[in-house]
Amino acid sequence: MRSLLTITLCLLLMAFSATQRSDTTKEKPALTGVLWKLAKIQSMDDSTDLPRAPGLYTLEFHKDGSVAIRADCNRGRGNWASETADQLNITQLITTRAMCIPPSLHDQFISDLNDTRSFTLNEGKLYLATMADGSILEFFSSRAMQVE
């Protein structure tokens, strides 16, 4: 009798574990497979910052939940998660810390990525909103160089 109870409990735990795994492997939003290039940063005070050259600030979201970034002369990696259709968090962002040629948006870009809370995709553009709508980062897409 005791072994039957043990087997039943093991089967229930395995079933519960399989259900939990399938819930956490939800389909990621259509952010992956694209290299996102920064077009501009619009701040709450209506100021606009533009990168000095296209492609200096990029995001590449991977299906495994990692994100690769370029922030001017620096490179980095982190993690991303999207629990709802428009929510986005970028965490554990680690970058190199080289001194980039002024004027650089490096510090603002990294700070805004760390503060990102939501996103919108509209007509091929990605918009990231930071906490309390402090900034909106606008990106345009190009096909990612790396096939996932």
Side-chain angles (χ1 to χ4, degrees):
M1 181 70 164
R2 181 171 269 181
S3 64
L4 180 60
L5 180 60
T6 303
I7 292 170
T8 304
L9 285 174
C10 287
L11 290 173
L12 285 172
L13 284 174
M14 287 185 343
F16 179 73
S17 175
T19 302
Q20 290 294 83
R21 247 190 323 269
S22 66
D23 287 346
T24 58
T25 58
K26 293 177 187 171
E27 187 66 29
K28 297 286 187 185
L31 300 174
T32 61
V34 175
L35 182 65
W36 296 101
K37 296 181 180 182
L38 181 68
K40 66 181 177 180
I41 300 174
Q42 183 74 43
S43 296
M44 192 169 76
D45 65 1
D46 288 332
S47 64
T48 301
D49 293 301
L50 303 172
R52 70 174 185 277
L56 284 180
Y57 302 87
T58 64
L59 292 174
E60 189 173 358
F61 297 95
H62 300 279
K63 291 179 182 177
D64 67 358
S66 66
V67 61
I69 71 159
R70 177 175 179 183
D72 200 345
C73 65
N74 290 289
R75 307 272 178 180
R77 295 195 73 73
N79 295 316
W80 70 281
S82 181
E83 299 300 322
T84 63
D86 63 349
Q87 181 262 340
L88 178 67
N89 287 314
I90 298 174
T91 59
Q92 299 176 344
L93 197 53
I94 305 288
T95 66
T96 57
R97 296 294 297 166
M99 290 288 294
C100 302
I101 299 169
S104 177
L105 299 175
H106 173 275
D107 292 338
Q108 181 180 1
F109 184 67
I110 297 300
S111 177
D112 285 347
L113 290 179
N114 281 318
D115 290 341
T116 298
R117 294 299 176 256
S118 64
F119 77 97
T120 302
L121 290 168
N122 188 13
E123 296 180 6
K125 292 185 178 181
L126 169 65
Y127 299 90
L128 303 183
T130 62
M131 287 189 292
D133 294 324
S135 297
I136 303 292
L137 288 78
E138 180 183 320
F139 294 84
F140 61 93
S141 66
S142 64
R143 282 283 132 211
M145 304 305 280
Q146 181 181 24
V147 177
E148 296 193 51

